[in-house]
Amino acid sequence: VIDSSCSSGTCQPGIYNSLLELAKGKAYTFASGFYVFNKGLKTNSAIVTSAPNGVTLYVASNQPIDLSGTLTLSALAAPGCTAGSGVLVYQSPSTLSTMKLAGSKDKLNLQGIVDLPYLDVIISGTSSNLSLSGSLIAHSIDLNGNMNPGVSSNPCYNFISENKVSLVQ
């Protein structure tokens, strides 16, 4: 990508070969498409939304991933998709161990599949500011607070096609 810092406030799909660290409190829009973050992604408490047709965020192995701030993101999904095809966030096999999502300070509205198979995801906070409509795949999930899980009306966003919330290990 040409503007690898998203200085205009709009991030474009493509390959980011340096760490994308957004400015705290600033508003950003991710244009629809596929993003590759070879050196990691830090939303850094920014205000982030995805364009109406959605995004897929791929973070390379062993690179930092921070989903903090006010995020409203939906997955990129092709017409006529099948269950499991709407991946919102994926990190390839990694030695990183944990990612914390703090509902008391972050407001996350995620629609799609969040696939972090090697991370232990810790969800904490007293408010229910973490809403996931789709699937969360992780090495482990530690629920120390409130979360609003739900099945998406878009079948692409669900790992399995059944219309129920499931916890699978």
Side-chain angles (χ1 to χ4, degrees), residues 40-59:
L41 167 66
K42 291 186 176 187
T43 55
N44 196 25
S45 297
I47 302 162
V48 181
T49 57
S50 60
N53 291 333
V55 297
T56 295
L57 310 176
Y58 171 88
V59 180

Side-chain angles (χ1 to χ4, degrees), residues 19-133:
L19 171 68
L20 176 60
E21 186 168 5
L22 303 178
K24 186 174 184 173
K26 185 176 175 185
Y28 294 89
T29 300
F30 278 39
S32 292
F34 193 84
Y35 293 75
V36 175
F37 299 102
N38 284 326
K39 296 293 181 183
L41 167 66
K42 291 186 176 187
T43 55
N44 196 25
S45 297
I47 302 162
V48 181
T49 57
S50 60
N53 291 333
V55 297
T56 295
L57 310 176
Y58 171 88
V59 180
S61 179
N62 303 321
Q63 298 305 313
I65 181 169
D66 163 20
L67 300 177
S68 64
T70 302
L71 279 61
T72 303
L73 300 173
S74 62
L76 181 66
C81 65
T82 59
S85 62
V87 175
L88 176 60
V89 179
Y90 175 77
Q91 184 169 33
S92 58
S94 182
T95 59
L96 298 179
S97 59
T98 60
M99 180 172 72
K100 295 180 182 180
L101 302 174
S104 58
K105 67 176 181 170
D106 299 323
K107 183 172 178 147
L108 308 178
N109 180 5
L110 307 175
Q111 297 178 15
I113 298 172
V114 177
D115 190 356
L116 306 167
Y118 288 83
L119 289 180
D120 297 318
V121 177
I122 300 169
I123 298 169
S124 63
T126 55
S127 66
S128 54
N129 284 340
L130 175 59
S131 174
L132 174 65
S133 191

